Amino acid sequence: MNPFDKVIHQPIRLQIMAVLTSLEDDEQLNFVDLRTLLNATDGNLGAHLQKLEEAGYVASEKVFLDRKPCTWLRATAEGLGAYRRHVKFLRDVIGGGE
Amino acid sequence: MNPFDKVIHQPIRLQIMAVLTSLEDDEQLNFVDLRTLLNATDGNLGAHLQKLEEAGYVASEKVFLDRKPCTWLRATAEGLGAYRRHVKFLRDVIGGGE
């Protein structure tokens, strides 16, 4: 077993997981808001979200609001666990304090 | 400017930089000890050190001790700066505390 998670370690994906795992249980974030938060492009964010979905770390649901597509995103329980393990790895490497 | 450093972000290289930047000013670490610390193979560690040297983050010096080659390693000032910036990026993403 690797101590680090290759899927999560990539910087954009690390930021996606940080945002999605910080949501409350009943909270979801949509694609457009996440894109704004991370200052990412559609294509880039889409590709990284796909990798996270393939790994089972992120779940998405496409709905239509006023006939406009809206994609809701949330971290899965598996994704939360993987993120927490990876953060522990990072903290072990870079240290906890200043 | 990217907020993260692609060279340093790779997990093995992040660990190398964490170890080398933790040394005192007059301290160096040799290749064999670093390999043991990181539980890495010769080839893997060598390849990652080469990337760090190419980026100017690590300096090495090969000497012979009792006719055996020994490679001393240290982080450069540039490497230390880059590592600190990257650690700041990571802390901003994953948060400081538990």
Side-chain angles (χ1 to χ4, degrees), chain A residues 9-33:
Chain A
H9 192 63
Q10 197 285 335
I12 312 280
R13 296 199 288 269
L14 186 66
Q15 291 177 80
I16 294 171
M17 291 306 293
V19 171
L20 293 183
T21 56
S22 71
L23 300 176
E24 301 294 322
D25 276 353
D26 55 351
E27 230 181 340
Q28 291 189 109
L29 193 71
N30 69 52
F31 184 91
V32 174
D33 289 343

PDB file of all heavy atoms in Angstrom, chain A residues 9-33:
ATOM      1  N   HIS A   9      -3.503  13.261  -4.985  1.00  0.00           N
ATOM      2  CA  HIS A   9      -2.325  14.119  -4.826  1.00  0.00           C
ATOM      3  C   HIS A   9      -2.215  15.219  -5.879  1.00  0.00           C
ATOM      4  O   HIS A   9      -1.714  16.309  -5.597  1.00  0.00           O
ATOM      5  CB  HIS A   9      -1.055  13.265  -4.823  1.00  0.00           C
ATOM      6  CG  HIS A   9       0.158  14.035  -4.381  1.00  0.00           C
ATOM      7  ND1 HIS A   9       0.263  14.556  -3.116  1.00  0.00           N
ATOM      8  CD2 HIS A   9       1.283  14.409  -5.027  1.00  0.00           C
ATOM      9  CE1 HIS A   9       1.423  15.194  -3.002  1.00  0.00           C
ATOM     10  NE2 HIS A   9       2.067  15.124  -4.148  1.00  0.00           N
ATOM     11  N   GLN A  10      -2.677  14.981  -7.079  1.00  0.00           N
ATOM     12  CA  GLN A  10      -2.594  15.994  -8.138  1.00  0.00           C
ATOM     13  C   GLN A  10      -3.218  17.305  -7.611  1.00  0.00           C
ATOM     14  O   GLN A  10      -4.314  17.275  -7.043  1.00  0.00           O
ATOM     15  CB  GLN A  10      -3.344  15.455  -9.379  1.00  0.00           C
ATOM     16  CG  GLN A  10      -3.022  16.177 -10.678  1.00  0.00           C
ATOM     17  CD  GLN A  10      -3.687  17.528 -10.756  1.00  0.00           C
ATOM     18  OE1 GLN A  10      -4.704  17.780 -10.134  1.00  0.00           O
ATOM     19  NE2 GLN A  10      -3.080  18.440 -11.507  1.00  0.00           N
ATOM     20  N   PRO A  11      -2.512  18.434  -7.781  1.00  0.00           N
ATOM     21  CA  PRO A  11      -2.915  19.667  -7.075  1.00  0.00           C
ATOM     22  C   PRO A  11      -4.356  20.134  -7.296  1.00  0.00           C
ATOM     23  O   PRO A  11      -5.021  20.541  -6.340  1.00  0.00           O
ATOM     24  CB  PRO A  11      -1.920  20.709  -7.597  1.00  0.00           C
ATOM     25  CG  PRO A  11      -0.715  19.920  -7.949  1.00  0.00           C
ATOM     26  CD  PRO A  11      -1.230  18.619  -8.478  1.00  0.00           C
ATOM     27  N   ILE A  12      -4.851  20.076  -8.533  1.00  0.00           N
ATOM     28  CA  ILE A  12      -6.241  20.503  -8.762  1.00  0.00           C
ATOM     29  C   ILE A  12      -7.193  19.550  -8.026  1.00  0.00           C
ATOM     30  O   ILE A  12      -8.159  19.977  -7.385  1.00  0.00           O
ATOM     31  CB  ILE A  12      -6.603  20.469 -10.273  1.00  0.00           C
ATOM     32  CG1 ILE A  12      -5.550  21.159 -11.131  1.00  0.00           C
ATOM     33  CG2 ILE A  12      -7.999  21.061 -10.491  1.00  0.00           C
ATOM     34  CD1 ILE A  12      -5.627  22.636 -11.171  1.00  0.00           C
ATOM     35  N   ARG A  13      -6.894  18.255  -8.114  1.00  0.00           N
ATOM     36  CA  ARG A  13      -7.781  17.282  -7.457  1.00  0.00           C
ATOM     37  C   ARG A  13      -7.706  17.407  -5.940  1.00  0.00           C
ATOM     38  O   ARG A  13      -8.710  17.223  -5.243  1.00  0.00           O
ATOM     39  CB  ARG A  13      -7.441  15.867  -7.937  1.00  0.00           C
ATOM     40  CG  ARG A  13      -7.701  15.698  -9.436  1.00  0.00           C
ATOM     41  CD  ARG A  13      -7.833  14.254  -9.864  1.00  0.00           C
ATOM     42  NE  ARG A  13      -6.594  13.509  -9.866  1.00  0.00           N
ATOM     43  CZ  ARG A  13      -5.780  13.395 -10.920  1.00  0.00           C
ATOM     44  NH1 ARG A  13      -6.080  13.966 -12.067  1.00  0.00           N
ATOM     45  NH2 ARG A  13      -4.670  12.690 -10.839  1.00  0.00           N
ATOM     46  N   LEU A  14      -6.517  17.724  -5.430  1.00  0.00           N
ATOM     47  CA  LEU A  14      -6.372  17.956  -3.985  1.00  0.00           C
ATOM     48  C   LEU A  14      -7.269  19.121  -3.568  1.00  0.00           C
ATOM     49  O   LEU A  14      -7.956  19.066  -2.537  1.00  0.00           O
ATOM     50  CB  LEU A  14      -4.911  18.266  -3.660  1.00  0.00           C
ATOM     51  CG  LEU A  14      -4.526  18.398  -2.182  1.00  0.00           C
ATOM     52  CD1 LEU A  14      -4.684  17.069  -1.460  1.00  0.00           C
ATOM     53  CD2 LEU A  14      -3.088  18.896  -2.039  1.00  0.00           C
ATOM     54  N   GLN A  15      -7.298  20.159  -4.380  1.00  0.00           N
ATOM     55  CA  GLN A  15      -8.129  21.326  -4.063  1.00  0.00           C
ATOM     56  C   GLN A  15      -9.620  20.988  -4.189  1.00  0.00           C
ATOM     57  O   GLN A  15     -10.429  21.418  -3.362  1.00  0.00           O
ATOM     58  CB  GLN A  15      -7.765  22.494  -4.992  1.00  0.00           C
ATOM     59  CG  GLN A  15      -6.372  23.035  -4.699  1.00  0.00           C
ATOM     60  CD  GLN A  15      -5.968  24.139  -5.663  1.00  0.00           C
ATOM     61  OE1 GLN A  15      -6.356  25.291  -5.517  1.00  0.00           O
ATOM     62  NE2 GLN A  15      -5.190  23.797  -6.676  1.00  0.00           N
ATOM     63  N   ILE A  16      -9.980  20.218  -5.211  1.00  0.00           N
ATOM     64  CA  ILE A  16     -11.378  19.801  -5.361  1.00  0.00           C
ATOM     65  C   ILE A  16     -11.825  19.030  -4.121  1.00  0.00           C
ATOM     66  O   ILE A  16     -12.879  19.302  -3.539  1.00  0.00           O
ATOM     67  CB  ILE A  16     -11.566  18.903  -6.615  1.00  0.00           C
ATOM     68  CG1 ILE A  16     -11.295  19.697  -7.896  1.00  0.00           C
ATOM     69  CG2 ILE A  16     -12.965  18.287  -6.638  1.00  0.00           C
ATOM     70  CD1 ILE A  16     -11.255  18.827  -9.155  1.00  0.00           C
ATOM     71  N   MET A  17     -10.989  18.065  -3.704  1.00  0.00           N
ATOM     72  CA  MET A  17     -11.369  17.236  -2.550  1.00  0.00           C
ATOM     73  C   MET A  17     -11.419  18.065  -1.273  1.00  0.00           C
ATOM     74  O   MET A  17     -12.276  17.835  -0.415  1.00  0.00           O
ATOM     75  CB  MET A  17     -10.392  16.056  -2.392  1.00  0.00           C
ATOM     76  CG  MET A  17     -10.492  15.002  -3.485  1.00  0.00           C
ATOM     77  SD  MET A  17     -12.162  14.330  -3.732  1.00  0.00           S
ATOM     78  CE  MET A  17     -12.426  13.432  -2.197  1.00  0.00           C
ATOM     79  N   ALA A  18     -10.506  19.035  -1.153  1.00  0.00           N
ATOM     80  CA  ALA A  18     -10.510  19.901   0.032  1.00  0.00           C
ATOM     81  C   ALA A  18     -11.831  20.660   0.111  1.00  0.00           C
ATOM     82  O   ALA A  18     -12.435  20.775   1.185  1.00  0.00           O
ATOM     83  CB  ALA A  18      -9.333  20.859  -0.002  1.00  0.00           C
ATOM     84  N   VAL A  19     -12.280  21.168  -1.030  1.00  0.00           N
ATOM     85  CA  VAL A  19     -13.535  21.926  -1.047  1.00  0.00           C
ATOM     86  C   VAL A  19     -14.721  20.997  -0.779  1.00  0.00           C
ATOM     87  O   VAL A  19     -15.544  21.266   0.109  1.00  0.00           O
ATOM     88  CB  VAL A  19     -13.733  22.638  -2.407  1.00  0.00           C
ATOM     89  CG1 VAL A  19     -15.126  23.237  -2.497  1.00  0.00           C
ATOM     90  CG2 VAL A  19     -12.673  23.725  -2.593  1.00  0.00           C
ATOM     91  N   LEU A  20     -14.794  19.887  -1.509  1.00  0.00           N
ATOM     92  CA  LEU A  20     -15.977  19.015  -1.393  1.00  0.00           C
ATOM     93  C   LEU A  20     -16.070  18.348  -0.017  1.00  0.00           C
ATOM     94  O   LEU A  20     -17.171  18.132   0.489  1.00  0.00           O
ATOM     95  CB  LEU A  20     -15.978  17.958  -2.501  1.00  0.00           C
ATOM     96  CG  LEU A  20     -16.166  18.494  -3.930  1.00  0.00           C
ATOM     97  CD1 LEU A  20     -16.220  17.349  -4.930  1.00  0.00           C
ATOM     98  CD2 LEU A  20     -17.425  19.360  -4.043  1.00  0.00           C
ATOM     99  N   THR A  21     -14.934  18.016   0.589  1.00  0.00           N
ATOM    100  CA  THR A  21     -14.992  17.365   1.905  1.00  0.00           C
ATOM    101  C   THR A  21     -15.268  18.372   3.018  1.00  0.00           C
ATOM    102  O   THR A  21     -15.497  17.982   4.154  1.00  0.00           O
ATOM    103  CB  THR A  21     -13.683  16.601   2.233  1.00  0.00           C
ATOM    104  OG1 THR A  21     -12.586  17.521   2.141  1.00  0.00           O
ATOM    105  CG2 THR A  21     -13.466  15.446   1.279  1.00  0.00           C
ATOM    106  N   SER A  22     -15.220  19.668   2.686  1.00  0.00           N
ATOM    107  CA  SER A  22     -15.494  20.673   3.720  1.00  0.00           C
ATOM    108  C   SER A  22     -16.982  21.021   3.786  1.00  0.00           C
ATOM    109  O   SER A  22     -17.409  21.773   4.665  1.00  0.00           O
ATOM    110  CB  SER A  22     -14.680  21.940   3.444  1.00  0.00           C
ATOM    111  OG  SER A  22     -15.213  22.609   2.315  1.00  0.00           O
ATOM    112  N   LEU A  23     -17.766  20.456   2.877  1.00  0.00           N
ATOM    113  CA  LEU A  23     -19.212  20.741   2.881  1.00  0.00           C
ATOM    114  C   LEU A  23     -19.913  20.003   4.017  1.00  0.00           C
ATOM    115  O   LEU A  23     -19.454  18.949   4.462  1.00  0.00           O
ATOM    116  CB  LEU A  23     -19.836  20.296   1.542  1.00  0.00           C
ATOM    117  CG  LEU A  23     -19.286  20.951   0.273  1.00  0.00           C
ATOM    118  CD1 LEU A  23     -19.942  20.322  -0.954  1.00  0.00           C
ATOM    119  CD2 LEU A  23     -19.509  22.455   0.290  1.00  0.00           C
ATOM    120  N   GLU A  24     -21.014  20.550   4.479  1.00  0.00           N
ATOM    121  CA  GLU A  24     -21.842  19.854   5.461  1.00  0.00           C
ATOM    122  C   GLU A  24     -22.506  18.650   4.795  1.00  0.00           C
ATOM    123  O   GLU A  24     -22.567  18.563   3.568  1.00  0.00           O
ATOM    124  CB  GLU A  24     -22.926  20.799   6.000  1.00  0.00           C
ATOM    125  CG  GLU A  24     -22.398  22.046   6.668  1.00  0.00           C
ATOM    126  CD  GLU A  24     -21.623  21.743   7.946  1.00  0.00           C
ATOM    127  OE1 GLU A  24     -22.041  20.831   8.684  1.00  0.00           O
ATOM    128  OE2 GLU A  24     -20.597  22.410   8.198  1.00  0.00           O
ATOM    129  N   ASP A  25     -23.057  17.752   5.624  1.00  0.00           N
ATOM    130  CA  ASP A  25     -23.662  16.518   5.127  1.00  0.00           C
ATOM    131  C   ASP A  25     -24.723  16.752   4.057  1.00  0.00           C
ATOM    132  O   ASP A  25     -24.823  16.001   3.088  1.00  0.00           O
ATOM    133  CB  ASP A  25     -24.311  15.736   6.280  1.00  0.00           C
ATOM    134  CG  ASP A  25     -23.271  14.887   6.997  1.00  0.00           C
ATOM    135  OD1 ASP A  25     -22.128  14.835   6.497  1.00  0.00           O
ATOM    136  OD2 ASP A  25     -23.594  14.300   8.031  1.00  0.00           O
ATOM    137  N   ASP A  26     -25.552  17.763   4.270  1.00  0.00           N
ATOM    138  CA  ASP A  26     -26.675  17.968   3.364  1.00  0.00           C
ATOM    139  C   ASP A  26     -26.359  19.026   2.294  1.00  0.00           C
ATOM    140  O   ASP A  26     -27.249  19.485   1.590  1.00  0.00           O
ATOM    141  CB  ASP A  26     -27.923  18.385   4.147  1.00  0.00           C
ATOM    142  CG  ASP A  26     -27.643  19.607   5.014  1.00  0.00           C
ATOM    143  OD1 ASP A  26     -26.455  19.988   5.112  1.00  0.00           O
ATOM    144  OD2 ASP A  26     -28.587  20.167   5.585  1.00  0.00           O
ATOM    145  N   GLU A  27     -25.090  19.389   2.202  1.00  0.00           N
ATOM    146  CA  GLU A  27     -24.688  20.434   1.277  1.00  0.00           C
ATOM    147  C   GLU A  27     -24.089  19.817   0.019  1.00  0.00           C
ATOM    148  O   GLU A  27     -23.394  18.793   0.085  1.00  0.00           O
ATOM    149  CB  GLU A  27     -23.605  21.281   1.954  1.00  0.00           C
ATOM    150  CG  GLU A  27     -23.846  22.775   1.916  1.00  0.00           C
ATOM    151  CD  GLU A  27     -22.688  23.501   2.596  1.00  0.00           C
ATOM    152  OE1 GLU A  27     -21.947  22.889   3.386  1.00  0.00           O
ATOM    153  OE2 GLU A  27     -22.534  24.686   2.324  1.00  0.00           O
ATOM    154  N   GLN A  28     -24.361  20.447  -1.106  1.00  0.00           N
ATOM    155  CA  GLN A  28     -23.691  20.057  -2.347  1.00  0.00           C
ATOM    156  C   GLN A  28     -23.192  21.339  -3.010  1.00  0.00           C
ATOM    157  O   GLN A  28     -23.638  22.431  -2.689  1.00  0.00           O
ATOM    158  CB  GLN A  28     -24.664  19.357  -3.292  1.00  0.00           C
ATOM    159  CG  GLN A  28     -25.116  18.003  -2.823  1.00  0.00           C
ATOM    160  CD  GLN A  28     -25.908  17.282  -3.896  1.00  0.00           C
ATOM    161  OE1 GLN A  28     -25.447  16.328  -4.486  1.00  0.00           O
ATOM    162  NE2 GLN A  28     -27.124  17.753  -4.142  1.00  0.00           N
ATOM    163  N   LEU A  29     -22.278  21.178  -3.935  1.00  0.00           N
ATOM    164  CA  LEU A  29     -21.750  22.338  -4.639  1.00  0.00           C
ATOM    165  C   LEU A  29     -21.955  22.065  -6.120  1.00  0.00           C
ATOM    166  O   LEU A  29     -21.844  20.920  -6.560  1.00  0.00           O
ATOM    167  CB  LEU A  29     -20.258  22.465  -4.328  1.00  0.00           C
ATOM    168  CG  LEU A  29     -19.570  23.776  -4.708  1.00  0.00           C
ATOM    169  CD1 LEU A  29     -20.041  24.899  -3.786  1.00  0.00           C
ATOM    170  CD2 LEU A  29     -18.059  23.625  -4.585  1.00  0.00           C
ATOM    171  N   ASN A  30     -22.277  23.092  -6.886  1.00  0.00           N
ATOM    172  CA  ASN A  30     -22.417  22.802  -8.307  1.00  0.00           C
ATOM    173  C   ASN A  30     -21.129  23.124  -9.062  1.00  0.00           C
ATOM    174  O   ASN A  30     -20.235  23.823  -8.564  1.00  0.00           O
ATOM    175  CB  ASN A  30     -23.651  23.480  -8.908  1.00  0.00           C
ATOM    176  CG  ASN A  30     -23.504  24.977  -8.982  1.00  0.00           C
ATOM    177  OD1 ASN A  30     -22.515  25.480  -9.501  1.00  0.00           O
ATOM    178  ND2 ASN A  30     -24.478  25.687  -8.445  1.00  0.00           N
ATOM    179  N   PHE A  31     -21.063  22.567 -10.240  1.00  0.00           N
ATOM    180  CA  PHE A  31     -19.868  22.644 -11.078  1.00  0.00           C
ATOM    181  C   PHE A  31     -19.408  24.090 -11.289  1.00  0.00           C
ATOM    182  O   PHE A  31     -18.224  24.407 -11.173  1.00  0.00           O
ATOM    183  CB  PHE A  31     -20.165  21.986 -12.431  1.00  0.00           C
ATOM    184  CG  PHE A  31     -18.992  21.914 -13.355  1.00  0.00           C
ATOM    185  CD1 PHE A  31     -18.155  20.802 -13.362  1.00  0.00           C
ATOM    186  CD2 PHE A  31     -18.710  22.956 -14.235  1.00  0.00           C
ATOM    187  CE1 PHE A  31     -17.065  20.730 -14.219  1.00  0.00           C
ATOM    188  CE2 PHE A  31     -17.615  22.898 -15.097  1.00  0.00           C
ATOM    189  CZ  PHE A  31     -16.801  21.784 -15.088  1.00  0.00           C
ATOM    190  N   VAL A  32     -20.366  24.969 -11.574  1.00  0.00           N
ATOM    191  CA  VAL A  32     -20.004  26.356 -11.901  1.00  0.00           C
ATOM    192  C   VAL A  32     -19.385  27.066 -10.687  1.00  0.00           C
ATOM    193  O   VAL A  32     -18.385  27.780 -10.805  1.00  0.00           O
ATOM    194  CB  VAL A  32     -21.242  27.127 -12.420  1.00  0.00           C
ATOM    195  CG1 VAL A  32     -20.915  28.597 -12.632  1.00  0.00           C
ATOM    196  CG2 VAL A  32     -21.726  26.501 -13.734  1.00  0.00           C
ATOM    197  N   ASP A  33     -19.975  26.821  -9.512  1.00  0.00           N
ATOM    198  CA  ASP A  33     -19.424  27.450  -8.307  1.00  0.00           C
ATOM    199  C   ASP A  33     -18.028  26.908  -7.983  1.00  0.00           C
ATOM    200  O   ASP A  33     -17.142  27.655  -7.561  1.00  0.00           O
ATOM    201  CB  ASP A  33     -20.364  27.229  -7.114  1.00  0.00           C
ATOM    202  CG  ASP A  33     -21.634  28.056  -7.241  1.00  0.00           C
ATOM    203  OD1 ASP A  33     -21.636  29.014  -8.054  1.00  0.00           O
ATOM    204  OD2 ASP A  33     -22.620  27.747  -6.568  1.00  0.00           O
TER     205      ASP A  33
END
